[in-house]
Amino acid sequence: MPEPLPIVLDGSAGEGGGQILRTALGLSAITGKPFTIARIRAQRPKPGLRPQHREAARAVASLVDAELSGDDVGSSRLEFRPRRAVRPGSYTFDIGTAGSTPLLFQSVCWPLALAGAPSALTLKGGTHQDHAPTFHYLALVWAPAVARLGFGFDLELQAAGFYPEGGGEFTARVAPAHPMPSLDLRHRGMIQEVEVVSMVGGLGYEIADRQAARALRGLRDAGVHAEAERVPVPAHRSKGGHVLIVSSFERTRSGHGAVSARERTPEQTAEAAVTAFRDHLGRRGAVDRHLGDQLLLPAALVAAGLVPAPPGVSPVTRYTVAAVTKHLTTNADVIRRFLDVEIAVLGREEDEGEVRVQPPGGRAEVVPLPR
Protein backbone atom coordinates (compact mmCIF):
# COMPACT_ATOMS: atom_id res chain seq x y z
CA MET A 1 0.00 0.00 0.00
CA PRO A 2 1.53 3.37 -0.97
CA GLU A 3 2.47 5.76 1.77
CA PRO A 4 0.08 8.71 2.18
CA LEU A 5 1.16 11.99 0.69
CA PRO A 6 2.20 14.56 3.30
CA ILE A 7 0.04 17.50 4.22
CA VAL A 8 1.88 20.62 3.01
CA LEU A 9 1.84 23.65 5.31
CA ASP A 10 3.08 27.21 4.84
CA GLY A 11 4.90 28.19 8.02
CA SER A 12 4.58 31.89 7.22
CA ALA A 13 0.77 31.85 6.94
CA GLY A 14 -1.47 33.65 9.44
CA GLU A 15 0.37 34.45 12.62
CA GLY A 16 3.43 32.83 11.06
CA GLY A 17 5.05 31.60 14.27
CA GLY A 18 5.97 28.36 15.93
CA GLN A 19 2.37 27.51 16.79
CA ILE A 20 1.78 26.20 13.25
CA LEU A 21 4.58 23.68 13.72
CA ARG A 22 3.55 22.68 17.26
CA THR A 23 -0.07 22.06 16.30
CA ALA A 24 0.96 20.08 13.21
CA LEU A 25 3.37 17.93 15.22
CA GLY A 26 0.75 16.94 17.78
CA LEU A 27 -1.92 16.22 15.19
CA SER A 28 0.47 14.27 12.96
CA ALA A 29 1.41 12.05 15.90
CA ILE A 30 -2.28 11.51 16.76
CA THR A 31 -3.57 10.86 13.24
CA GLY A 32 -0.50 9.26 11.68
CA LYS A 33 -0.70 11.76 8.80
CA PRO A 34 2.74 12.97 7.64
CA PHE A 35 3.37 16.64 6.90
CA THR A 36 5.88 19.00 5.37
CA ILE A 37 6.16 22.60 6.52
CA ALA A 38 8.08 25.21 4.53
CA ARG A 39 8.93 28.87 5.19
CA ILE A 40 9.02 28.21 8.93
CA ARG A 41 8.69 31.51 10.86
CA ALA A 42 9.73 33.32 7.67
CA GLN A 43 8.58 36.75 8.86
CA ARG A 44 10.19 36.57 12.31
CA PRO A 45 13.36 38.55 13.19
CA LYS A 46 15.17 35.20 13.55
CA PRO A 47 13.42 33.03 10.92
CA GLY A 48 13.47 29.25 10.82
CA LEU A 49 13.62 26.81 13.69
CA ARG A 50 14.84 28.01 17.06
CA PRO A 51 16.08 25.52 19.71
CA GLN A 52 12.63 25.23 21.31
CA HIS A 53 11.02 24.36 17.96
CA ARG A 54 13.73 21.83 17.17
CA GLU A 55 13.21 20.17 20.55
CA ALA A 56 9.44 20.09 20.03
CA ALA A 57 9.92 18.30 16.71
CA ARG A 58 12.37 15.82 18.18
CA ALA A 59 10.24 15.26 21.28
CA VAL A 60 7.09 14.44 19.31
CA ALA A 61 9.15 12.34 16.89
CA SER A 62 10.35 10.23 19.82
CA LEU A 63 6.74 9.41 20.73
CA VAL A 64 5.98 7.91 17.30
CA ASP A 65 9.44 6.95 15.98
CA ALA A 66 8.94 9.49 13.21
CA GLU A 67 11.13 10.03 10.20
CA LEU A 68 12.31 13.58 10.71
CA SER A 69 14.35 15.81 8.43
CA GLY A 70 15.16 19.52 8.51
CA ASP A 71 15.29 19.59 12.32
CA ASP A 72 18.31 21.89 12.61
CA VAL A 73 18.30 25.35 14.17
CA GLY A 74 17.68 27.87 11.40
CA SER A 75 16.02 25.35 9.08
CA SER A 76 13.11 26.78 7.07
CA ARG A 77 11.68 23.41 6.01
CA LEU A 78 10.82 20.32 8.06
CA GLU A 79 9.39 16.91 7.12
CA PHE A 80 7.70 14.66 9.66
CA ARG A 81 6.37 11.14 9.04
CA PRO A 82 5.13 9.02 12.00
CA ARG A 83 6.02 5.31 11.85
CA ARG A 84 4.02 3.91 14.77
CA ALA A 85 1.31 4.78 17.28
CA VAL A 86 2.12 7.01 20.25
CA ARG A 87 3.87 5.14 23.03
CA PRO A 88 3.09 6.31 26.58
CA GLY A 89 5.85 6.22 29.18
CA SER A 90 8.40 8.35 31.00
CA TYR A 91 10.20 11.03 29.00
CA THR A 92 12.68 13.82 29.66
CA PHE A 93 12.97 16.72 27.23
CA ASP A 94 15.64 19.42 27.55
CA ILE A 95 15.50 22.48 25.30
CA GLY A 96 19.01 23.49 26.34
CA THR A 97 18.14 27.20 26.33
CA ALA A 98 15.54 29.46 27.96
CA GLY A 99 13.00 28.36 25.30
CA SER A 100 9.49 27.79 26.59
CA THR A 101 8.88 24.46 28.31
CA PRO A 102 5.13 25.15 28.61
CA LEU A 103 4.93 25.40 24.80
CA LEU A 104 7.01 22.23 24.48
CA PHE A 105 4.60 20.49 26.85
CA GLN A 106 1.65 21.61 24.74
CA SER A 107 3.29 19.89 21.76
CA VAL A 108 3.51 16.45 23.39
CA CYS A 109 0.61 16.43 25.86
CA TRP A 110 -2.22 15.74 23.38
CA PRO A 111 -0.70 12.64 21.74
CA LEU A 112 0.21 11.25 25.17
CA ALA A 113 -3.27 11.96 26.58
CA LEU A 114 -4.74 9.83 23.77
CA ALA A 115 -2.20 7.00 24.12
CA GLY A 116 -4.39 4.94 26.46
CA ALA A 117 -2.12 4.89 29.53
CA PRO A 118 -0.51 7.45 31.88
CA SER A 119 2.79 9.14 31.10
CA ALA A 120 5.32 11.08 33.16
CA LEU A 121 7.37 13.96 31.78
CA THR A 122 10.29 16.10 32.89
CA LEU A 123 10.80 19.29 30.86
CA LYS A 124 13.85 21.54 31.15
CA GLY A 125 14.42 25.06 29.83
CA GLY A 126 12.52 28.32 30.34
CA THR A 127 9.39 28.30 32.49
CA HIS A 128 8.50 32.01 32.69
CA GLN A 129 8.80 34.39 29.76
CA ASP A 130 6.71 36.90 27.88
CA HIS A 131 5.03 35.84 24.61
CA ALA A 132 4.40 32.31 25.90
CA PRO A 133 2.27 30.82 28.66
CA THR A 134 4.19 30.73 31.93
CA PHE A 135 4.23 27.67 34.15
CA HIS A 136 1.83 29.37 36.56
CA TYR A 137 -0.61 30.23 33.76
CA LEU A 138 -0.40 26.62 32.59
CA ALA A 139 -1.09 25.25 36.06
CA LEU A 140 -3.68 27.75 37.31
CA VAL A 141 -5.65 28.66 34.16
CA TRP A 142 -4.94 26.34 31.23
CA ALA A 143 -4.96 22.98 33.04
CA PRO A 144 -8.31 23.54 34.80
CA ALA A 145 -9.81 24.67 31.48
CA VAL A 146 -8.73 21.65 29.43
CA ALA A 147 -9.74 19.34 32.29
CA ARG A 148 -13.31 20.33 31.48
CA LEU A 149 -12.76 18.76 28.04
CA GLY A 150 -11.50 15.51 29.56
CA PHE A 151 -7.73 16.08 29.65
CA GLY A 152 -6.03 15.68 33.03
CA PHE A 153 -2.56 17.08 33.63
CA ASP A 154 -0.82 17.29 37.01
CA LEU A 155 1.98 19.87 36.88
CA GLU A 156 4.69 20.59 39.44
CA LEU A 157 7.41 23.26 39.26
CA GLN A 158 10.88 22.11 40.31
CA ALA A 159 12.78 25.28 39.42
CA ALA A 160 11.97 28.50 37.60
CA GLY A 161 13.83 29.39 34.41
CA PHE A 162 13.92 32.96 33.12
CA TYR A 163 15.36 34.50 29.95
CA PRO A 164 18.18 34.43 28.95
CA GLU A 165 19.76 31.78 31.19
CA GLY A 166 16.89 29.31 31.49
CA GLY A 167 17.68 26.40 33.77
CA GLY A 168 14.05 25.81 34.75
CA GLU A 169 12.32 22.48 35.17
CA PHE A 170 8.85 21.13 35.73
CA THR A 171 7.31 17.69 35.85
CA ALA A 172 3.98 16.59 34.46
CA ARG A 173 1.79 13.55 34.84
CA VAL A 174 -0.48 12.94 31.85
CA ALA A 175 -3.65 10.94 32.47
CA PRO A 176 -5.58 9.22 29.67
CA ALA A 177 -8.31 11.47 28.28
CA HIS A 178 -11.81 10.64 29.47
CA PRO A 179 -15.38 11.63 28.48
CA MET A 180 -16.80 14.87 29.82
CA PRO A 181 -20.04 16.80 29.23
CA SER A 182 -19.94 19.25 26.34
CA LEU A 183 -18.36 22.59 27.22
CA ASP A 184 -20.35 25.80 26.81
CA LEU A 185 -18.50 28.94 27.87
CA ARG A 186 -20.46 31.57 26.00
CA HIS A 187 -21.14 33.47 29.23
CA ARG A 188 -18.62 33.92 32.02
CA GLY A 189 -21.04 35.13 34.70
CA MET A 190 -20.18 37.51 37.52
CA ILE A 191 -16.65 37.89 38.78
CA GLN A 192 -16.23 36.08 42.09
CA GLU A 193 -12.59 36.22 43.10
CA VAL A 194 -9.34 37.83 41.98
CA GLU A 195 -5.95 36.64 43.18
CA VAL A 196 -2.55 38.15 42.50
CA VAL A 197 0.25 35.59 42.29
CA SER A 198 3.53 37.45 42.80
CA MET A 199 6.37 35.03 42.16
CA VAL A 200 10.13 35.47 42.38
CA GLY A 201 12.97 33.11 41.67
CA GLY A 202 16.53 33.94 42.66
CA LEU A 203 15.45 37.37 43.96
CA GLY A 204 14.68 38.72 47.40
CA TYR A 205 11.22 38.44 48.92
CA GLU A 206 10.96 42.23 48.85
CA ILE A 207 10.64 42.06 45.03
CA ALA A 208 7.60 39.81 45.38
CA ASP A 209 6.21 42.25 47.93
CA ARG A 210 6.73 45.25 45.62
CA GLN A 211 5.08 43.43 42.71
CA ALA A 212 2.11 42.44 44.86
CA ALA A 213 1.66 45.89 46.37
CA ARG A 214 1.60 47.64 43.01
CA ALA A 215 -0.78 45.06 41.50
CA LEU A 216 -3.17 45.36 44.44
CA ARG A 217 -3.11 49.14 44.17
CA GLY A 218 -3.83 49.03 40.44
CA LEU A 219 -6.74 46.66 40.97
CA ARG A 220 -8.08 48.77 43.82
CA ASP A 221 -7.99 51.82 41.56
CA ALA A 222 -10.13 49.82 39.10
CA GLY A 223 -12.64 49.01 41.84
CA VAL A 224 -11.55 45.36 42.12
CA HIS A 225 -10.87 43.71 45.46
CA ALA A 226 -8.09 41.14 45.35
CA GLU A 227 -5.87 39.05 47.57
CA ALA A 228 -2.16 38.51 46.90
CA GLU A 229 0.05 35.49 47.34
CA ARG A 230 3.80 36.04 47.39
CA VAL A 231 5.54 32.95 46.07
CA PRO A 232 9.32 32.45 46.24
CA VAL A 233 10.40 29.48 44.09
CA PRO A 234 13.76 27.78 43.47
CA ALA A 235 15.83 29.05 40.54
CA HIS A 236 19.21 27.49 39.78
CA ARG A 237 20.71 29.43 36.87
CA SER A 238 18.49 32.46 36.37
CA LYS A 239 16.51 34.99 38.32
CA GLY A 240 13.34 36.95 37.74
CA GLY A 241 9.81 37.76 38.79
CA HIS A 242 6.33 37.07 37.52
CA VAL A 243 2.93 38.57 38.27
CA LEU A 244 -0.17 36.61 37.31
CA ILE A 245 -3.67 37.93 38.02
CA VAL A 246 -6.06 34.99 38.20
CA SER A 247 -9.72 36.03 37.97
CA SER A 248 -12.46 33.52 38.72
CA PHE A 249 -15.89 34.10 37.23
CA GLU A 250 -18.99 31.99 37.78
CA ARG A 251 -18.28 29.80 34.75
CA THR A 252 -14.64 30.30 33.83
CA ARG A 253 -11.22 31.51 34.92
CA SER A 254 -8.79 33.84 33.19
CA GLY A 255 -5.15 34.76 33.70
CA HIS A 256 -3.23 37.90 32.84
CA GLY A 257 0.42 38.27 33.62
CA ALA A 258 3.83 39.73 32.92
CA VAL A 259 7.39 38.58 33.49
CA SER A 260 10.21 40.76 34.77
CA ALA A 261 12.83 41.99 32.36
CA ARG A 262 16.06 43.94 32.68
CA GLU A 263 14.32 47.15 31.58
CA ARG A 264 11.29 46.65 33.89
CA THR A 265 10.98 47.51 37.55
CA PRO A 266 8.87 45.21 39.76
CA GLU A 267 6.21 47.90 39.69
CA GLN A 268 6.18 47.97 35.88
CA THR A 269 5.82 44.19 35.77
CA ALA A 270 2.77 44.47 38.01
CA GLU A 271 1.31 47.32 35.99
CA ALA A 272 1.59 45.33 32.76
CA ALA A 273 -0.39 42.48 34.33
CA VAL A 274 -3.04 44.86 35.69
CA THR A 275 -3.43 46.56 32.31
CA ALA A 276 -4.06 43.23 30.59
CA PHE A 277 -6.58 42.20 33.25
CA ARG A 278 -8.46 45.49 33.03
CA ASP A 279 -8.71 45.13 29.26
CA HIS A 280 -10.22 41.67 29.69
CA LEU A 281 -12.62 42.86 32.36
CA GLY A 282 -13.88 45.57 30.03
CA ARG A 283 -14.84 42.97 27.44
CA ARG A 284 -17.55 40.31 27.52
CA GLY A 285 -15.66 37.24 26.32
CA ALA A 286 -15.66 34.31 28.74
CA VAL A 287 -12.21 33.11 27.66
CA ASP A 288 -9.10 35.30 27.70
CA ARG A 289 -7.31 36.08 24.44
CA HIS A 290 -4.56 33.49 25.02
CA LEU A 291 -6.73 30.64 26.25
CA GLY A 292 -8.97 31.13 23.21
CA ASP A 293 -6.52 29.54 20.78
CA GLN A 294 -5.22 27.04 23.36
CA LEU A 295 -8.70 25.50 23.84
CA LEU A 296 -9.17 24.94 20.13
CA LEU A 297 -7.05 21.81 19.71
CA PRO A 298 -8.49 19.79 22.63
CA ALA A 299 -12.00 20.85 21.59
CA ALA A 300 -11.27 19.58 18.07
CA LEU A 301 -10.00 16.24 19.41
CA VAL A 302 -13.30 15.85 21.26
CA ALA A 303 -15.33 16.83 18.18
CA ALA A 304 -13.38 14.33 16.06
CA GLY A 305 -14.45 11.52 18.38
CA LEU A 306 -10.93 10.85 19.65
CA VAL A 307 -12.27 11.33 23.18
CA PRO A 308 -15.56 9.40 23.40
CA ALA A 309 -18.50 11.56 24.43
CA PRO A 310 -20.75 10.44 27.29
CA PRO A 311 -23.96 8.71 26.14
CA GLY A 312 -26.45 11.17 24.71
CA VAL A 313 -23.97 14.07 24.68
CA SER A 314 -23.12 15.92 21.47
CA PRO A 315 -19.37 16.66 21.36
CA VAL A 316 -19.80 20.36 20.61
CA THR A 317 -17.67 23.03 22.29
CA ARG A 318 -18.75 26.68 22.34
CA TYR A 319 -17.02 29.64 23.91
CA THR A 320 -16.69 33.38 23.57
CA VAL A 321 -13.28 35.03 23.41
CA ALA A 322 -12.13 38.43 24.61
CA ALA A 323 -10.39 38.90 21.25
CA VAL A 324 -10.22 37.01 17.98
CA THR A 325 -6.47 36.72 17.44
CA LYS A 326 -4.36 35.58 14.51
CA HIS A 327 -3.18 32.73 16.73
CA LEU A 328 -6.80 31.57 17.00
CA THR A 329 -7.63 31.73 13.30
CA THR A 330 -4.28 30.26 12.24
CA ASN A 331 -4.66 27.37 14.67
CA ALA A 332 -8.13 26.70 13.26
CA ASP A 333 -6.70 26.53 9.74
CA VAL A 334 -4.02 24.00 10.72
CA ILE A 335 -6.45 21.81 12.68
CA ARG A 336 -8.82 21.61 9.70
CA ARG A 337 -5.98 20.14 7.60
CA PHE A 338 -5.66 17.14 9.93
CA LEU A 339 -9.09 16.56 11.49
CA ASP A 340 -12.53 16.22 9.95
CA VAL A 341 -14.24 18.76 12.19
CA GLU A 342 -16.12 22.00 11.72
CA ILE A 343 -14.67 25.11 13.35
CA ALA A 344 -16.49 28.42 13.17
CA VAL A 345 -14.91 31.63 14.41
CA LEU A 346 -17.14 34.70 14.44
CA GLY A 347 -15.69 38.18 14.89
CA ARG A 348 -13.16 40.53 13.39
CA GLU A 349 -9.54 40.37 14.39
CA GLU A 350 -8.95 41.86 17.87
CA ASP A 351 -12.72 42.22 18.46
CA GLU A 352 -14.71 40.01 20.79
CA GLY A 353 -15.81 36.80 19.14
CA GLU A 354 -17.34 33.37 19.45
CA VAL A 355 -15.98 29.92 18.64
CA ARG A 356 -17.85 26.70 17.89
CA VAL A 357 -16.14 23.34 17.35
CA GLN A 358 -18.22 20.31 16.35
CA PRO A 359 -18.26 17.09 14.33
CA PRO A 360 -18.73 17.36 10.56
CA GLY A 361 -22.22 17.64 9.16
CA GLY A 362 -23.60 19.86 11.90
CA ARG A 363 -24.51 23.48 11.68
CA ALA A 364 -21.40 25.58 12.29
CA GLU A 365 -23.14 28.95 12.33
CA VAL A 366 -22.63 31.03 15.45
CA VAL A 367 -25.27 33.38 16.81
CA PRO A 368 -23.85 36.94 16.93
CA LEU A 369 -23.10 38.34 20.34
CA PRO A 370 -25.78 40.69 21.66
CA ARG A 371 -24.97 44.38 21.38
Side-chain angles (χ1 to χ4, degrees), residues 22 51-53 55-56 95 97-107 123-135 138 161 170:
R22 289 188 295 271
Q52 61 267 33
H53 309 119
E55 184 60 27
I95 296 175
T97 69
S100 172
T101 50
L103 289 179
L104 173 59
F105 178 70
Q106 289 181 338
S107 302
L123 301 103
K124 300 179 181 181
T127 60
H128 295 79
Q129 57 185 236
D130 284 330
H131 311 300
T134 64
F135 171 85
L138 209 67
F170 77 89

Coordinates of all heavy atoms in Angstrom, one line a residue, residues 22 51-53 55-56 95 97-107 123-135 138 161 170:
R22 N 3.9 23.5 16.1 CA 3.6 22.7 17.3 C 2.2 22.0 17.1 O 2.1 20.8 17.5 CB 3.5 23.6 18.5 CG 4.9 24.1 19.0 CD 4.8 24.8 20.3 NE 4.0 26.0 20.2 CZ 4.6 27.2 19.9 NH1 5.9 27.3 19.6 NH2 3.8 28.3 19.8
P51 N 15.9 26.8 18.9 CA 16.1 25.5 19.7 C 14.8 24.9 20.3 O 14.6 23.7 20.3 CB 17.0 26.0 20.8 CG 17.8 27.1 20.2 CD 16.9 27.8 19.3
Q52 N 13.8 25.8 20.7 CA 12.6 25.2 21.3 C 11.8 24.5 20.3 O 11.1 23.6 20.6 CB 11.8 26.3 22.0 CG 11.3 27.5 21.2 CD 12.3 28.6 21.2 OE1 13.5 28.4 21.3 NE2 11.8 29.8 21.0
H53 N 11.8 25.0 19.0 CA 11.0 24.4 18.0 C 11.7 23.0 17.6 O 11.0 22.0 17.3 CB 10.9 25.3 16.7 CG 10.4 26.7 17.1 ND1 11.2 27.8 16.9 CD2 9.3 27.1 17.7 CE1 10.5 28.8 17.3 NE2 9.3 28.4 17.8
E55 N 13.5 21.2 19.5 CA 13.2 20.2 20.6 C 11.8 19.7 20.5 O 11.5 18.5 20.8 CB 13.5 20.8 21.9 CG 13.4 19.8 23.1 CD 14.3 18.6 23.0 OE1 15.4 18.7 22.3 OE2 14.0 17.5 23.5
A56 N 10.8 20.5 20.2 CA 9.4 20.1 20.0 C 9.3 19.0 18.9 O 8.7 18.0 19.1 CB 8.5 21.3 19.7
I95 N 15.3 21.5 26.4 CA 15.5 22.5 25.3 C 16.9 22.9 25.2 O 17.5 23.2 24.1 CB 14.5 23.7 25.5 CG1 13.1 23.2 25.4 CG2 14.8 24.8 24.4 CD1 12.1 24.3 25.7
T97 N 18.1 25.7 26.3 CA 18.1 27.2 26.3 C 17.0 27.6 27.2 O 16.4 26.8 27.9 CB 18.0 27.8 24.9 OG1 16.6 27.6 24.5 CG2 18.9 27.2 23.9
A98 N 16.7 29.0 27.2 CA 15.5 29.5 28.0 C 14.2 29.4 27.2 O 13.2 30.0 27.5 CB 15.8 30.9 28.4
G99 N 14.2 28.6 26.1 CA 13.0 28.4 25.3 C 11.9 27.8 26.2 O 12.1 27.2 27.2
S100 N 10.7 28.0 25.8 CA 9.5 27.8 26.6 C 9.2 26.3 26.8 O 8.8 25.6 25.8 CB 8.3 28.5 26.0 OG 7.1 28.1 26.7
T101 N 9.3 25.8 28.0 CA 8.9 24.5 28.3 C 7.4 24.3 28.3 O 6.9 23.2 27.9 CB 9.5 24.0 29.7 OG1 9.2 25.0 30.7 CG2 11.0 23.8 29.6
P102 N 6.6 25.3 28.7 CA 5.1 25.2 28.6 C 4.7 24.9 27.2 O 3.8 24.1 26.9 CB 4.6 26.5 29.2 CG 5.6 26.9 30.2 CD 6.9 26.5 29.6
L103 N 5.3 25.6 26.2 CA 4.9 25.4 24.8 C 5.4 24.0 24.3 O 4.7 23.4 23.5 CB 5.5 26.5 23.9 CG 4.9 27.9 24.0 CD1 5.6 28.9 23.1 CD2 3.4 27.8 23.7
L104 N 6.6 23.6 24.8 CA 7.0 22.2 24.5 C 6.0 21.2 25.0 O 5.7 20.2 24.3 CB 8.4 22.0 25.1 CG 9.0 20.6 24.9 CD1 9.0 20.1 23.5 CD2 10.4 20.5 25.6
F105 N 5.6 21.4 26.3 CA 4.6 20.5 26.8 C 3.3 20.4 26.0 O 2.7 19.4 25.8 CB 4.3 20.9 28.3 CG 3.3 20.0 28.9 CD1 3.5 18.7 29.3 CD2 2.0 20.5 29.2 CE1 2.6 17.9 29.9 CE2 1.0 19.7 29.8 CZ 1.3 18.4 30.1
Q106 N 2.9 21.6 25.5 CA 1.6 21.6 24.7 C 1.8 20.9 23.4 O 0.8 20.7 22.7 CB 1.2 23.1 24.6 CG 0.6 23.7 25.8 CD 0.1 25.1 25.6 OE1 0.5 25.8 24.7 NE2 -0.8 25.5 26.5
S107 N 3.0 20.6 23.0 CA 3.3 19.9 21.8 C 3.1 18.4 22.0 O 2.6 17.7 21.1 CB 4.7 20.1 21.2 OG 4.9 21.5 21.0
L123 N 10.5 18.3 31.9 CA 10.8 19.3 30.9 C 11.7 20.3 31.4 O 11.5 20.9 32.5 CB 9.5 19.9 30.3 CG 8.5 19.0 29.7 CD1 7.4 18.7 30.7 CD2 8.0 19.4 28.4
K124 N 12.8 20.6 30.7 CA 13.8 21.5 31.2 C 14.1 22.7 30.1 O 14.1 22.4 28.9 CB 15.2 20.8 31.4 CG 15.1 19.7 32.4 CD 16.4 18.9 32.5 CE 16.3 17.8 33.5 NZ 17.6 17.1 33.7
G125 N 14.2 23.9 30.7 CA 14.4 25.1 29.8 C 13.9 26.3 30.5 O 14.0 26.5 31.7
G126 N 13.2 27.1 29.8 CA 12.5 28.3 30.3 C 11.1 28.0 30.8 O 10.4 27.2 30.2
T127 N 10.7 28.5 31.9 CA 9.4 28.3 32.5 C 8.6 29.6 32.6 O 7.3 29.5 32.7 CB 9.5 27.7 33.9 OG1 10.2 28.6 34.8 CG2 10.2 26.4 33.9
H128 N 9.2 30.7 32.6 CA 8.5 32.0 32.7 C 9.1 33.0 31.7 O 10.3 33.4 31.9 CB 8.6 32.5 34.1 CG 7.9 31.7 35.1 ND1 8.5 30.5 35.6 CD2 6.7 31.8 35.8 CE1 7.6 30.0 36.5 NE2 6.6 30.7 36.6
Q129 N 8.3 33.4 30.7 CA 8.8 34.4 29.8 C 7.6 35.0 29.1 O 6.5 34.4 29.1 CB 9.7 33.8 28.7 CG 9.0 32.6 27.9 CD 10.0 31.9 27.0 OE1 9.7 31.8 25.8 NE2 11.1 31.4 27.5
D130 N 7.8 36.2 28.6 CA 6.7 36.9 27.9 C 6.5 36.2 26.5 O 7.4 35.5 26.1 CB 7.0 38.4 27.6 CG 6.8 39.2 28.9 OD1 5.9 38.9 29.7 OD2 7.5 40.2 29.1
H131 N 5.4 36.4 25.9 CA 5.0 35.8 24.6 C 4.9 34.3 24.6 O 5.0 33.7 23.6 CB 6.1 36.3 23.6 CG 6.3 37.7 23.6 ND1 5.4 38.7 23.4 CD2 7.5 38.4 23.8 CE1 5.9 39.9 23.5 NE2 7.2 39.8 23.7
A132 N 4.7 33.7 25.8 CA 4.4 32.3 25.9 C 3.7 32.1 27.2 O 3.9 32.9 28.2 CB 5.7 31.5 25.9
P133 N 2.9 31.1 27.4 CA 2.3 30.8 28.7 C 3.3 30.5 29.7 O 4.3 29.7 29.4 CB 1.3 29.6 28.4 CG 1.9 29.0 27.2 CD 2.5 30.1 26.4
T134 N 3.3 31.1 30.9 CA 4.2 30.7 31.9 C 3.7 29.4 32.6 O 2.6 29.0 32.4 CB 4.2 31.8 33.0 OG1 2.9 32.0 33.6 CG2 4.6 33.2 32.4
F135 N 4.6 28.9 33.4 CA 4.2 27.7 34.2 C 3.0 27.9 35.0 O 2.1 27.1 35.1 CB 5.4 27.2 35.0 CG 4.9 26.1 36.0 CD1 4.9 24.8 35.5 CD2 4.4 26.4 37.3 CE1 4.4 23.7 36.4 CE2 4.0 25.4 38.1 CZ 4.0 24.0 37.6
L138 N -0.1 28.0 33.0 CA -0.4 26.6 32.6 C -1.1 25.9 33.7 O -2.1 25.2 33.5 CB 0.9 25.9 32.2 CG 0.9 24.8 31.2 CD1 0.5 25.3 29.8 CD2 2.2 24.1 31.1
G161 N 12.8 29.0 35.4 CA 13.8 29.4 34.4 C 13.4 30.6 33.7 O 12.4 30.7 33.0
F170 N 10.1 21.6 35.1 CA 8.8 21.1 35.7 C 8.5 19.7 35.3 O 9.0 19.2 34.3 CB 7.7 22.1 35.5 CG 7.0 22.0 34.1 CD1 6.0 21.2 33.9 CD2 7.4 22.9 33.1 CE1 5.3 21.2 32.6 CE2 6.8 22.9 31.9 CZ 5.7 22.0 31.6

